[in-house]
Amino acid sequence: FHNPNSDSQCRFPARLTYLKHALPEETRNLPFVKCAALKEYLSKVPFDKISLSFATEHLPNPTTMMGHLFLKIQGNHGDASPTHSLSFFADLNKVHNTASFIVGSLFTGIDGIYILEPYKNRRDAYLYEGKRSIWDYELRLTEEQRKILALHIWEMRGINVSYDLRENNCGSAIVRLLMVADPSLKSL
């Protein structure tokens, strides 16, 4: 049984886009594959406007001492204007106690998780429950860069990424995603 959504073209559309650009002759005759799940994702999570969002620290909670960096993704879908957030967190469902979180996040790494959700959920959690401020900085990405970012985020589904506060935290994970869309960010 062949599942067309499991085809490598559907699983890795950002890589396919890169290959088509870098090797047009070699990729010209690739068969067309319908990717229904990818098409649905791209329609429900339109990437018309991308902002870098920063939620300030929440003093009573030491795990928020550096704040939180995430993406705000906005667009148009028919009559609606959906807005989503994309965050990278330590997967607290796999941390059994505070001591294991501290050791894991500082020294050994713990499982990380990307979460794409309606922006309202993230905003409400930070503004109303956490009493934190959120600052948004709109990014000037071209249409092609926004497309590559959307496709790369799709590719990150189900990927196990380690989280640690020093080298792979919310900020560095988001910057690495943005570097796929805009390689000039590597010079930062």
Side-chain angles (χ1 to χ4, degrees):
F1 177 71
H2 176 69
N3 178 356
N5 287 315
S6 68
D7 188 277
S8 60
Q9 291 185 44
C10 297
R11 179 68 185 100
F12 301 108
R15 298 169 204 206
L16 177 63
T17 300
Y18 171 78
L19 289 173
K20 284 182 174 182
H21 178 72
L23 305 167
E25 288 298 314
E26 292 83 349
T27 57
R28 184 176 28 155
N29 293 323
L30 286 175
F32 174 76
V33 178
K34 281 181 118 175
C35 304
L38 174 61
K39 184 177 179 181
E40 180 181 14
Y41 157 74
L42 292 172
S43 72
K44 289 185 177 180
V45 186
F47 281 71
D48 298 329
K49 180 178 170 184
I50 312 293
S51 299
L52 198 56
S53 296
F54 177 74
T56 60
E57 75 283 344
H58 179 54
L59 293 177
N61 185 349
T63 63
T64 72
M65 69 183 143
M66 296 188 309
H68 181 69
L69 196 65
F70 60 101
L71 292 179
K72 180 178 179 183
I73 302 163
Q74 298 169 273
N76 295 308
H77 176 63
D79 293 337
S81 298
T83 303
H84 292 83
S85 69
L86 179 77
S87 297
F88 180 69
F89 295 105
D91 189 351
L92 297 179
N93 293 321
K94 297 183 179 180
V95 176
H96 304 293
N97 56 50
T98 304
S100 67
F101 173 76
I102 292 170
V103 169
S105 63
L106 289 175
F107 303 109
T108 61
I110 51 182
D111 286 344
I113 185 169
Y114 285 95
I115 297 177
L116 179 68
E117 64 184 335
Y119 177 75
K120 180 185 182 312
N121 297 357
R122 184 69 26 222
R123 182 201 64 208
D124 290 355
Y126 287 146
L127 289 179
Y128 307 121
E129 297 167 30
K131 308 287 188 232
R132 299 164 77 171
S133 296
I134 298 176
W135 298 86
D136 291 333
Y137 305 93
E138 186 175 344
L139 301 174
R140 285 181 239 166
L141 298 175
T142 66
E143 184 177 345
E144 184 65 22
Q145 289 170 326
R146 292 190 312 270
K147 176 185 173 186
I148 289 295
L149 180 61
L151 296 176
H152 183 62
I153 289 169
W154 172 263
E155 289 183 1
M156 294 303 294
R157 294 171 309 119
I159 300 291
N160 185 6
V161 180
S162 182
Y163 176 97
D164 72 79
L165 281 172
R166 294 173 297 119
E167 295 180 14
N168 201 36
N169 53 47
C170 61
S172 58
I174 294 298
V175 169
R176 285 188 192 104
L177 284 176
L178 291 171
M179 286 189 318
V180 170
D182 184 356
S184 71
L185 293 173
K186 290 179 182 175
S187 62
L188 295 179

